[in-house]
Amino acid sequence: MIEVNLDVMLSKRKMSSGELAAQIGITQANLSILKTGKAKAIRFSTLEAICKALDCQPGDILEFKED
């Protein structure tokens, strides 16, 4: 299972979901789907934009955990 730790990075960067969504050009609804782990996929361009906005690596956001 892939766990999404976007809330952790947002907290560390003191950024709101709304700010991030606006910076990377996606809706808050789509960001919420990603944050809750309900997304089935993520585009590399979206992941790149998130990493750039949060100054982090993909591994800071995505984590593999055994079921």
Side-chain angles (χ1 to χ4, degrees):
M1 175 171 83
I2 301 294
E3 190 169 298
V4 181
N5 297 317
L6 197 49
D7 280 335
V8 174
M9 288 309 299
L10 283 168
S11 179
K12 284 183 179 180
R13 300 299 187 249
K14 295 180 172 67
M15 185 183 290
S16 71
S17 296
E19 287 176 283
L20 179 61
Q23 266 192 11
I24 65 174
I26 66 171
T27 65
Q28 276 191 271
N30 283 341
L31 186 61
S32 178
I33 289 168
L34 182 59
K35 278 178 35 180
T36 58
K38 293 181 180 170
K40 298 291 182 201
I42 182 171
R43 292 180 182 191
F44 281 132
S45 58
T46 303
L47 184 58
E48 182 179 348
I50 291 170
C51 289
K52 192 173 189 178
L54 295 176
D55 188 30
C56 66
Q57 294 295 312
D60 295 326
I61 298 169
L62 304 174
E63 180 180 1
F64 173 75
K65 290 194 173 179
E66 292 286 341
D67 286 340

